[in-house]
Amino acid sequence: MLRSAAFASGHELQLLQGGGQYFPALISAVDAAQHEVRLETYIFHFDVQGIQVAEALERAALRGVAVYLVMDGVGTPDVPLDWQLRWNASGVRWHQYAPLGYLGLLIPGRWRRMHRKLCVVDGDWAFCGGINVVDDFLDPNHGPLRVARLDYAVRVRGPLVTQCRQAMVQFWARLEAKLQLEQLHWREIRKNWPVLAWLPRTALPLVATPLAGSMAALVLRDNVRNRTRIERAYLKAIGEARNDIVLANAYFLPGARLRRALKHAVRRGVRVQVVVQGQYEYFMQYHASRPVLSELVQAGVEVYEYTPGFLHAKVAVVDTIWATVGSSNLDPLSLLLAREANVVVHDVDFAQQLDTALCAVIQTSTRRWDLAADAKRPWHQRVRDRLAFGLMRVLLFFSGSRY
């Protein structure tokens, strides 16, 4: 199992469930920062919770901390003018990654989004997971929520924090270089060239003498050198599973390789449980996944639909020893197009904690997928399933990606 990612020992880990645990820990870390804060998020929504984070970044910058913030141009299309002025005045440096422009997503190249949720404070602590800067009880598209969004993050201290910071520094440098290139600032580009050089592949060497603490690895996905690393980490762990696999994934539409791996695991006698979104959220994600879910259920995979509210988690546990928490869904957008970041852990205590949380969700907040009931749904719903699945295949064709 250790070979499913290149692990290093010596990590301190804390599992955080939902914004109720994540945001106090994040804000506390930012308020304690002495040198540097780097934050990347897909969504930065200026609700009550988002404003608290925005204020923490402002406070840090005002006391002389170097603050760098990147938000995705689709997830965060607009930054209120008052916050633009406040951040600029306080010294917060911020970018919107790849704003859509006039033609929007009609240009396939703009499907490549920055979906990571990362934060590094003073090069000492890192946060990674699926939680955006948005209140758990609010959805930017659907409005107020009756039940808090189900999501997870991990706070980590140890060797992978340096690698996380290095990836964020390079990403920031490339955003700056793009802006400088547009403004023809050649001298600045030459000065920053060393930072723009390729990073090593996202793997940490195994240490010869194990340190105290958990084994963990940072696994990134991008469109250059790390195109398949997150998928390969999943495939390796699933392929080595002997007892049980528990997945919770908001937008679960695995490609052929992952589907085969899950089916082979079932044939080996491994119990495979998958928690997916039970409520309708988006047309493509909801309907295109249903033919795939039916296929997996027929093969013996247990599929559970999370029903109380919106599921946004991207986590997994294998044999109660391997676990991952991150931003990557198991769907084409995450595995083929987006910048993603997952922390992968090889630690019994951490895996058991996450496994216990997921099992409680399955027992109390899901309904099991029933093939007979699914087949009896109205014909127009089944037509939507096939239409969405076919449209997804067409979009993959035009993106030039195999899935």
Side-chain angles (χ1 to χ4, degrees):
M1 184 68 70
L2 281 176
R3 295 188 304 276
S4 61
F7 291 86
S9 59
H11 291 93
E12 178 184 339
L13 301 163
Q14 181 186 5
L15 180 67
L16 304 170
Q17 180 170 329
Q21 295 181 2
Y22 173 72
F23 290 118
L26 178 70
I27 292 170
S28 176
V30 172
D31 281 338
Q34 299 180 21
H35 307 291
E36 181 186 77
V37 174
R38 292 183 178 270
L39 175 64
E40 296 176 358
T41 181
Y42 180 69
I43 298 173
F44 199 120
H45 194 266
F46 291 83
D47 51 37
V48 173
Q49 192 67 77
I51 288 174
Q52 290 178 3
V53 176
E55 290 173 341
L57 297 175
E58 181 185 47
R59 288 193 300 270
L62 286 171
R63 64 176 184 271
V65 175
V67 179
Y68 303 87
L69 169 64
V70 182
M71 304 159 283
D72 185 78
V74 171
T76 313
D78 298 302
V79 177
L81 179 59
D82 61 330
W83 273 106
Q84 295 184 39
L85 297 174
R86 287 178 65 169
W87 279 342
N88 293 339
S90 65
V92 174
R93 286 167 265 190
W94 58 278
H95 276 297
Q96 279 180 294
Y97 174 75
L100 284 183
Y102 181 70
L103 294 177
L105 293 174
L106 293 175
I107 301 175
R110 292 179 181 164
W111 300 349
R112 302 180 185 276
R113 307 314 308 172
M114 200 290 296
H115 197 243
R116 303 193 306 209
K117 292 88 177 175
L118 288 173
C119 182
V120 171
V121 178
D122 286 342
D124 189 28
W125 286 100
F127 295 80
C128 178
I131 302 176
N132 288 291
V133 181
V134 58
D135 192 277
D136 277 353
F137 287 90
L138 180 69
D139 185 276
N141 297 308
H142 296 271
L145 304 177
R146 183 178 56 85
V147 176
R149 187 182 298 103
L150 180 61
D151 209 345
Y152 298 91
V154 60
R155 182 171 70 169
V156 57
R157 188 179 208 172
L160 72 77
V161 177
T162 299
Q163 189 185 25
C164 185
R165 180 183 178 274
Q166 184 183 14
M168 298 176 80
V169 167
Q170 188 191 61
F171 184 47
W172 179 270
R174 290 178 176 171
L175 293 175
E176 289 279 284
K178 181 178 182 295
L179 183 61
Q180 291 159 2
L181 183 62
E182 291 171 350
Q183 298 173 350
L184 301 180
H185 292 170
W186 304 109
R187 183 175 298 177
E188 292 297 319
I189 294 174
R190 286 196 298 271
K191 187 174 79 171
N192 293 328
W193 183 254
V195 184
L196 298 173
W198 299 118
L199 282 173
R201 290 184 181 271
T202 56
L204 289 168
L206 287 170
V207 292
T209 303
L211 305 172
S214 304
M215 303 286 285
L218 175 70
V219 186
L220 302 178
R221 204 220 78 87
D222 58 39
N223 296 302
V224 185
R225 302 193 73 197
N226 300 299
R227 291 174 180 267
T228 62
R229 289 193 63 83
I230 289 179
E231 183 179 21
R232 285 162 51 198
Y234 268 100
L235 289 171
K236 188 69 174 176
I238 293 169
E240 294 180 348
R242 293 294 174 263
N243 299 307
D244 50 75
I245 299 167
V246 184
L247 291 165
N249 213 261
Y251 308 125
F252 184 74
L253 185 53
R257 290 182 295 271
L258 278 168
R259 296 202 302 273
R260 283 196 300 268
L262 293 171
K263 293 176 187 177
H264 288 163
V266 171
R267 288 198 288 270
R268 294 196 308 272
V270 177
R271 185 183 186 187
V272 180
Q273 299 171 280
V274 178
V275 183
V276 299
Q277 181 73 270
Q279 292 199 18
Y280 182 93
E281 188 175 6
Y282 302 112
F283 174 81
M284 283 292 293
Q285 286 88 339
Y286 182 82
H287 284 288
S289 65
R290 299 189 76 86
V292 172
L293 293 173
S294 292
E295 173 190 333
L296 291 174
V297 171
Q298 290 174 14
V301 174
E302 299 174 27
V303 173
Y304 298 88
E305 294 183 286
Y306 180 74
T307 56
F310 284 145
L311 172 71
H312 198 256
K314 305 98 167 54
V315 297
V317 182
V318 176
D319 288 345
T320 326
I321 188 169
W322 183 99
T324 186
V325 178
S327 67
S328 182
N329 293 296
L330 297 180
D331 74 342
L333 288 177
S334 282
L335 295 180
L336 296 177
L337 298 171
R339 289 180 178 268
E340 304 284 4
N342 277 36
V343 168
V344 181
V345 178
H346 191 277
D347 179 81
V348 172
D349 291 340
F350 184 87
Q352 285 182 340
Q353 184 181 0
L354 180 55
D355 185 73
T356 298
L358 294 178
C359 288
V361 168
I362 290 173
Q363 292 171 6
T364 64
S365 305
T366 66
R367 60 170 178 262
R368 186 164 176 175
W369 186 284
D370 184 273
L371 284 173
D374 184 66
K376 293 178 181 178
R377 288 184 304 133
W379 66 269
H380 54 85
Q381 292 186 16
R382 298 196 299 274
V383 168
R384 291 193 189 102
D385 297 345
R386 292 298 170 182
L387 178 63
F389 186 78
L391 180 58
M392 183 269 295
R393 302 290 298 182
V394 170
L395 292 174
L396 285 174
F397 174 79
F398 281 111
S399 73
S401 302
R402 297 183 61 186
Y403 194 60

